[in-house]
Amino acid sequence: IALSDHLRAIDHNLSVVIECDGRIAGFAVGDRQGGDAYLRELDVARSYQQRGYGARLVRAFVQTARKNGARDVYLATFRTPPWNAPFYRKLGFVDVDRADYHPWMKAMEDEQATFLDLSTRVFMKLG
């Protein structure tokens, strides 16, 4: 994501990093959506994957978001790759039914429709 998006996430206390061996191994950044938090991106460096860092980052993001007043935590991801929706389901996220979308979700989906197959995507909420 753009540097400006990282900086905005830092300003809103919705940015967490994880260090290993003195290096940044990964990060999670998000946005505020009204009274909720949206996990915009989770990245773990390839050399640090499959060690639990992604789960630790998600938990730290949720904790930080709630500490800063977020009612709920949402994300959007791909439905099937094991490192996407199945990963988040193991952490307690559940699929959001289309009828329950917030207006910002619909707007985000409309934007993504220009370059993604929406049938491959799912919004999720921490259950």
Side-chain angles (χ1 to χ4, degrees):
I1 66 175
L3 176 59
S4 61
D5 294 332
H6 276 283
L7 294 174
R8 185 174 53 251
I10 291 168
D11 287 344
H12 292 134
N13 294 317
L14 290 173
S15 174
V16 293
V17 298
I18 193 163
E19 291 184 40
C20 182
D21 304 323
R23 302 182 69 169
I24 293 177
F27 67 89
V29 297
D31 301 317
R32 291 293 294 213
Q33 295 294 338
D36 299 319
Y38 173 72
L39 176 58
R40 182 174 179 161
E41 186 160 344
L42 170 70
D43 282 303
V44 176
R46 190 171 307 261
S47 59
Y48 293 103
Q49 292 178 359
Q50 300 296 314
R51 298 186 196 180
Y53 294 130
R56 288 173 55 192
L57 280 164
V58 172
R59 288 185 193 107
F61 178 86
V62 169
Q63 182 179 27
T64 299
R66 288 201 169 137
K67 180 180 165 186
N68 287 290
R71 288 184 312 250
D72 291 307
V73 178
Y74 292 89
L75 60 86
T77 191
F78 290 97
R79 291 182 181 279
T80 55
W83 57 89
N84 287 147
F87 166 78
Y88 292 110
R89 286 186 188 109
K90 289 179 186 176
L91 296 175
F93 284 82
V94 295
D95 296 14
V96 175
D97 187 86
R98 181 174 286 284
D100 296 326
Y101 277 15
H102 294 287
W104 64 266
M105 293 174 170
K106 293 175 185 173
M108 190 178 293
E109 195 174 66
D110 288 346
E111 181 182 322
Q112 291 176 347
T114 63
F115 57 91
L116 288 174
D117 175 0
L118 294 182
S119 70
T120 66
R121 301 286 288 168
V122 62
F123 276 100
M124 304 181 87
K125 174 184 175 182
L126 187 60

